[in-house]
Short mmCIF file of all heavy atoms in Angstrom, two decimals:
data_model
loop_
_atom_site.label_atom_id
_atom_site.label_comp_id
_atom_site.label_asym_id
_atom_site.label_seq_id
_atom_site.Cartn_x
_atom_site.Cartn_y
_atom_site.Cartn_z
N ASP D 385 -53.14 -55.07 -17.73
CA ASP D 385 -52.53 -56.38 -17.80
C ASP D 385 -51.64 -56.69 -16.60
O ASP D 385 -51.10 -57.80 -16.50
CB ASP D 385 -51.71 -56.54 -19.08
CG ASP D 385 -52.62 -56.72 -20.28
OD1 ASP D 385 -53.84 -56.61 -20.12
OD2 ASP D 385 -52.10 -56.97 -21.39
N ALA D 386 -51.41 -55.72 -15.72
CA ALA D 386 -50.65 -55.98 -14.51
C ALA D 386 -51.46 -56.85 -13.57
O ALA D 386 -52.70 -56.82 -13.55
CB ALA D 386 -50.24 -54.68 -13.83
N ASP D 387 -50.77 -57.64 -12.75
CA ASP D 387 -51.46 -58.51 -11.81
C ASP D 387 -52.28 -57.70 -10.79
O ASP D 387 -53.35 -58.10 -10.39
CB ASP D 387 -50.44 -59.37 -11.07
CG ASP D 387 -49.75 -60.37 -12.01
OD1 ASP D 387 -50.28 -60.60 -13.11
OD2 ASP D 387 -48.68 -60.88 -11.64
N THR D 388 -51.75 -56.56 -10.40
CA THR D 388 -52.45 -55.63 -9.50
C THR D 388 -52.54 -54.28 -10.18
O THR D 388 -51.52 -53.77 -10.69
CB THR D 388 -51.72 -55.49 -8.16
OG1 THR D 388 -51.58 -56.79 -7.56
CG2 THR D 388 -52.48 -54.57 -7.23
N VAL D 389 -53.72 -53.71 -10.21
CA VAL D 389 -53.90 -52.40 -10.87
C VAL D 389 -53.02 -51.38 -10.13
O VAL D 389 -53.16 -51.19 -8.92
CB VAL D 389 -55.35 -51.97 -10.84
CG1 VAL D 389 -55.53 -50.58 -11.48
CG2 VAL D 389 -56.21 -52.99 -11.59
N PRO D 390 -52.11 -50.71 -10.84
CA PRO D 390 -51.20 -49.80 -10.16
C PRO D 390 -51.87 -48.51 -9.73
O PRO D 390 -52.96 -48.15 -10.22
CB PRO D 390 -50.13 -49.55 -11.22
CG PRO D 390 -50.83 -49.77 -12.53
CD PRO D 390 -51.83 -50.85 -12.26
N LEU D 391 -51.22 -47.82 -8.82
CA LEU D 391 -51.65 -46.49 -8.40
C LEU D 391 -51.12 -45.50 -9.43
O LEU D 391 -49.90 -45.38 -9.59
CB LEU D 391 -51.13 -46.18 -7.01
CG LEU D 391 -51.48 -44.82 -6.42
CD1 LEU D 391 -52.98 -44.69 -6.23
CD2 LEU D 391 -50.77 -44.62 -5.09
N VAL D 392 -51.99 -44.79 -10.09
CA VAL D 392 -51.62 -43.91 -11.22
C VAL D 392 -51.64 -42.46 -10.74
O VAL D 392 -52.69 -41.95 -10.31
CB VAL D 392 -52.57 -44.11 -12.42
CG1 VAL D 392 -52.15 -43.22 -13.59
CG2 VAL D 392 -52.60 -45.56 -12.84
N ILE D 393 -50.48 -41.79 -10.82
CA ILE D 393 -50.35 -40.39 -10.43
C ILE D 393 -49.99 -39.59 -11.69
O ILE D 393 -48.94 -39.81 -12.28
CB ILE D 393 -49.26 -40.20 -9.36
CG1 ILE D 393 -49.58 -41.03 -8.11
CG2 ILE D 393 -49.10 -38.72 -8.99
CD1 ILE D 393 -50.81 -40.58 -7.38
N PRO D 394 -50.83 -38.63 -12.09
CA PRO D 394 -50.50 -37.80 -13.26
C PRO D 394 -49.86 -36.48 -12.84
O PRO D 394 -50.14 -35.96 -11.75
CB PRO D 394 -51.86 -37.55 -13.90
CG PRO D 394 -52.78 -37.50 -12.70
CD PRO D 394 -52.23 -38.42 -11.65
N PHE D 395 -49.03 -35.95 -13.69
CA PHE D 395 -48.50 -34.59 -13.49
C PHE D 395 -48.13 -34.00 -14.84
O PHE D 395 -47.80 -34.71 -15.79
CB PHE D 395 -47.30 -34.58 -12.52
CG PHE D 395 -46.09 -35.29 -13.00
CD1 PHE D 395 -45.12 -34.66 -13.77
CD2 PHE D 395 -45.89 -36.62 -12.65
CE1 PHE D 395 -44.00 -35.34 -14.20
CE2 PHE D 395 -44.76 -37.30 -13.06
CZ PHE D 395 -43.81 -36.66 -13.84
N VAL D 396 -48.21 -32.67 -14.88
CA VAL D 396 -47.92 -31.92 -16.11
C VAL D 396 -46.96 -30.80 -15.74
O VAL D 396 -47.08 -30.19 -14.67
CB VAL D 396 -49.21 -31.36 -16.74
CG1 VAL D 396 -48.90 -30.48 -17.94
CG2 VAL D 396 -50.13 -32.49 -17.16
N HIS D 397 -46.04 -30.52 -16.62
CA HIS D 397 -45.05 -29.46 -16.39
C HIS D 397 -44.96 -28.56 -17.60
O HIS D 397 -45.30 -28.95 -18.72
CB HIS D 397 -43.67 -30.08 -16.09
CG HIS D 397 -43.19 -31.01 -17.16
ND1 HIS D 397 -42.53 -30.58 -18.31
CD2 HIS D 397 -43.28 -32.35 -17.28
CE1 HIS D 397 -42.24 -31.63 -19.05
NE2 HIS D 397 -42.69 -32.71 -18.47
N THR D 398 -44.51 -27.35 -17.36
CA THR D 398 -44.26 -26.39 -18.43
C THR D 398 -42.99 -25.63 -18.10
O THR D 398 -42.68 -25.39 -16.93
CB THR D 398 -45.46 -25.42 -18.58
OG1 THR D 398 -45.18 -24.50 -19.65
CG2 THR D 398 -45.68 -24.61 -17.32
N GLY D 399 -42.26 -25.26 -19.13
CA GLY D 399 -40.99 -24.56 -18.95
C GLY D 399 -39.79 -25.39 -19.40
O GLY D 399 -38.72 -24.82 -19.63
N MET D 400 -39.96 -26.70 -19.52
CA MET D 400 -38.84 -27.52 -19.96
C MET D 400 -38.48 -27.24 -21.42
O MET D 400 -37.35 -27.50 -21.83
CB MET D 400 -39.19 -29.00 -19.79
CG MET D 400 -39.16 -29.48 -18.36
SD MET D 400 -37.57 -29.28 -17.53
CE MET D 400 -36.51 -30.31 -18.56
N GLN D 401 -39.41 -26.71 -22.19
CA GLN D 401 -39.08 -26.34 -23.56
C GLN D 401 -38.09 -25.18 -23.62
O GLN D 401 -37.44 -24.99 -24.65
CB GLN D 401 -40.38 -25.98 -24.32
CG GLN D 401 -41.10 -24.77 -23.79
CD GLN D 401 -42.07 -25.09 -22.69
OE1 GLN D 401 -42.04 -26.20 -22.15
NE2 GLN D 401 -42.94 -24.17 -22.36
#
Side-chain angles (χ1 to χ4, degrees):
D385 286 7
D387 294 342
T388 303
V389 178
L391 180 63
V392 182
I393 301 294
F395 65 88
V396 175
H397 55 85
T398 181
M400 287 300 299
Q401 64 273 13

